[in-house]
């Protein structure tokens, strides 16, 4: 039986967004796995965690203090303890090169869009990722594309692995999904079939909402869809872009804000397609949720979308998207209802077991070498 400390100190960062959601889901599923003891540091040190939250202390400082305490304790007692850090940072330590650690690198967005990050933040991220590359930790990338981005700027990691993000989505039977979706619609839209695209993600510049609006406009004029439904933050920014396209389009854009997981699943299941024309992604969790539920995908033609959704999604190369091909894709998808190739690899239980296997293999190899 192995002991894992999960550094959920990322919860101290209120702006963690999707990374925090992935971290929480991974922790929950790892704790359900039999044969291993998984403990979040927030539960092991509740007073320290509460004080850090009250004082608004940096999660990096908390991780440095707790990691070095447990590392020293393990050296003294001989106890085997592994540490998992869910977002790029390996604490500074005089006790070795983190062979007892797992660190997740989600993406290098700051390299693709440096203008959205301060110079100090970029230097900090460069330093942290360079340290990860030179460590003996298991460095986990959430896609092969993300790993390739990393290796373009930093050295190859000694222990690198690709493990897809866990995707928490349950396929609902068609009749139930249809009725449930109707309950999620505005009152004036319940009387007729509702053909809409779903864009379930927060507003960020790299999400390319203007590209999404333009493709929606073309599809609407061609009679393929009637509405564009958007969830998440950024309603004001999206509304300004929609208003600039004229009332015929802006009145057909419904920004629902933050919705519950149940309502989001209903929206996925009732959509004509999920749309995401991002200029950059490390994984695209929303697209993976939609694909797990069997929803057609309209995605930008970027490396990670080709890696994860090639053969399943319709990839949009630019403004000259062929609507005839797109229409045939939607019709074929409705007819064949293909399964997403990576659905099982992204199942939360599968992902949790992959993380636990990393250190079991390391322990077994060390024993074989001795």
């Amino acid at each position: 039986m192995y002991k894992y400390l999960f550094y959920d100190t990322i919860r101290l960062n209120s702006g963690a967004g999707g990374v925090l959601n992935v971290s929480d889901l991974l922790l929950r599923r790892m704790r359900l796995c039999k044969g291993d003891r998984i403990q979040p540091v927030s539960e092991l040190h509740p007073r320290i965690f509460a004080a850090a939250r009250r004082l608004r202390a940096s999660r990096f400082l908390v991780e440095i203090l707790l990691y070095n305490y447990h590392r020293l304790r393990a050296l003294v007692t001989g106890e085997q303890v592994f540490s998992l850090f869910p977002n790029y940072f390996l604490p500074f330590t005089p006790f070795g090169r983190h062979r007892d650690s797992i660190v997740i690198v989600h993406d290098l967005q700051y390299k693709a869009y440096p203008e959205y990050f301060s110079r100090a933040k970029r230097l900090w991220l460069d330093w942290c990722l360079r340290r990860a590359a030179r460590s003996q930790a298991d460095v986990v990338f959430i896609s092969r594309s993300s790993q390739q981005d990393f290796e373009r700027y930093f050295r190859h990691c000694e222990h690198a692995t690709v493990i897809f993000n866990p995707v928490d989505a349950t396929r609902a039977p068609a009749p139930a999904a249809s009725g449930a979706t109707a309950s999620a619609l505005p009152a004036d839209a319940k009387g007729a079939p509702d053909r809409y695209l779903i864009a379930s993600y927060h507003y960020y510049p790299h999400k390319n909402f203007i590209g999404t609006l333009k493709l929606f406009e073309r599809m609407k004029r061609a009679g393929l869809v009637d509405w564009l439904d958007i969830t998440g933050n950024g309603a004001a920014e999206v509304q300004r872009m929609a208003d600039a396209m004229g009332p015929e389009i802006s009145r057909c854009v419904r920004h629902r804000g933050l919705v519950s997981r149940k309502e989001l699943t209903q929206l996925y299941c009732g959509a004509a397609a999920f749309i995401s024309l991002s200029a950059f992604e490390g994984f695209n969790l929303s697209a993976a949720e939609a694909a797990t539920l069997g929803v057609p995908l309209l995605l930008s033609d970027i490396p990670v979308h080709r890696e994860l959704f090639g053969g399943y999604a319709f990839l949009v190369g630019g403004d000259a998207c062929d609507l005839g091909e797109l229409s045939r894709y939607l019709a074929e998808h409705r007819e064949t209802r293909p399964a997403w190739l990576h659905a099982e690899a992204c199942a939360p239980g599968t992902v949790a077991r992959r993380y636990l296997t990393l250190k079991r293999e390391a322990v077994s190899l060390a024993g074989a070498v001795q």
Side-chain angles (χ1 to χ4, degrees):
M1 180 181 290
Y2 304 105
K3 180 177 181 179
Y4 293 80
L5 292 179
F6 193 105
Y7 281 76
D8 60 336
T9 39
I10 192 173
R11 291 166 53 195
L12 296 173
N13 180 1
S14 58
V19 174
L20 176 58
N21 296 335
V22 170
S23 172
D24 286 345
L25 176 58
L26 179 60
L27 172 59
R28 291 199 306 271
R29 295 313 297 249
M30 288 182 73
R31 299 186 83 174
L32 293 176
C33 294
K34 297 180 180 179
D36 296 286
R37 291 177 295 157
I38 319 296
Q39 189 158 23
V41 293
S42 62
E43 291 184 9
L44 189 62
H45 302 283
R47 293 182 179 178
I48 292 176
F49 200 86
R53 175 163 284 169
R54 185 172 61 254
L55 298 173
R56 297 184 179 179
S58 165
R59 77 170 178 93
F60 305 118
L61 176 61
V62 176
E63 288 177 16
I64 291 170
L65 294 174
L66 292 181
Y67 175 75
N68 281 284
Y69 166 74
H70 284 286
R71 184 73 181 116
L72 179 59
R73 187 173 183 275
L75 291 173
V76 171
T77 64
E79 183 182 12
Q80 183 70 74
V81 178
F82 301 123
S83 298
L84 195 156
F85 301 95
N87 195 24
Y88 80 79
F89 180 67
L90 284 173
F92 307 109
T93 181
F95 306 115
R97 294 177 56 203
H98 296 96
R99 191 64 192 102
D100 63 323
S101 301
I102 301 170
V103 62
I104 304 175
V105 176
H106 290 266
D107 60 56
L108 271 70
Q109 184 183 338
Y110 80 103
K111 289 291 190 184
Y113 290 91
E115 62 271 26
Y116 303 131
F117 296 81
S118 67
R119 184 172 183 273
K121 180 69 171 181
R122 296 197 306 270
L123 290 173
W124 167 254
L125 290 168
D126 274 343
W127 191 27
C128 289
L129 295 178
R130 191 170 290 111
R131 289 181 62 249
R134 294 175 177 175
S135 74
Q136 291 185 347
D138 285 285
V139 182
V140 175
F141 298 94
I142 61 175
S143 65
R144 175 60 183 157
S145 298
S146 185
Q147 182 181 3
Q148 290 172 340
D149 288 342
F150 182 93
E151 293 174 350
R152 191 175 301 125
Y153 298 101
F154 307 102
R155 64 191 291 179
H156 293 263
C157 300
E158 190 171 340
H159 305 283
T161 307
V162 173
I163 303 178
F164 295 152
N165 274 339
V167 178
D168 187 18
T170 303
R171 186 188 297 269
S178 177
T181 304
S183 67
L185 297 175
D188 60 357
K190 291 181 181 178
D194 209 40
R195 301 180 304 167
Y196 62 91
L197 299 177
I198 179 69
S200 55
Y201 34 86
H202 301 306
Y203 171 82
Y204 294 107
H206 72 277
K207 290 295 186 180
N208 188 22
F209 273 96
I210 189 63
T212 295
L213 288 165
K214 287 180 177 179
L215 182 55
F216 166 65
E217 179 182 28
R218 293 186 62 204
M219 293 179 68
K220 178 174 174 56
R221 294 190 188 283
L224 298 178
V225 291
D226 303 308
W227 304 89
L228 171 62
D229 278 16
I230 302 171
T231 69
N233 295 323
E237 291 86 350
V238 174
Q239 191 60 53
R240 280 195 294 270
M241 289 186 286
D243 289 344
M245 301 182 74
E248 184 180 351
I249 296 302
S250 66
R251 66 170 175 255
C252 297
V253 176
R254 305 184 294 207
H255 201 296
R256 299 177 178 276
L258 298 174
V259 301
S260 67
R261 169 56 57 179
K262 179 180 178 181
E263 185 177 354
L264 180 58
T265 300
Q266 293 169 352
L267 290 168
Y268 278 141
C269 292
F274 169 90
I275 184 168
S276 174
L277 302 186
S278 297
F280 174 85
E281 293 286 349
F283 182 81
N284 202 333
L285 184 60
S286 297
E289 290 173 344
T292 301
L293 293 166
V295 182
L297 305 181
L298 309 181
L299 303 178
S300 51
D301 190 4
I302 58 176
V304 72
H305 287 163
R306 293 194 293 272
E307 174 190 354
L308 293 174
F309 307 106
Y312 182 94
F314 183 88
L315 299 180
V316 179
D319 292 339
C321 169
D322 188 323
L323 289 187
E325 291 185 9
L326 191 157
S327 179
R328 286 190 290 274
Y329 161 76
L330 293 176
E332 182 179 350
H333 196 286
R334 284 193 299 269
E335 180 70 24
T336 61
R337 297 189 177 276
W340 180 41
L341 178 64
H342 298 297
E344 177 54 34
C346 292
T350 302
V351 174
R353 289 189 292 272
R354 285 286 311 279
Y355 276 93
L356 294 171
T357 300
L358 287 175
K359 290 308 181 185
R360 289 178 188 153
E361 291 175 349
V363 170
S364 299
L365 179 60
V369 171
Q370 290 177 353

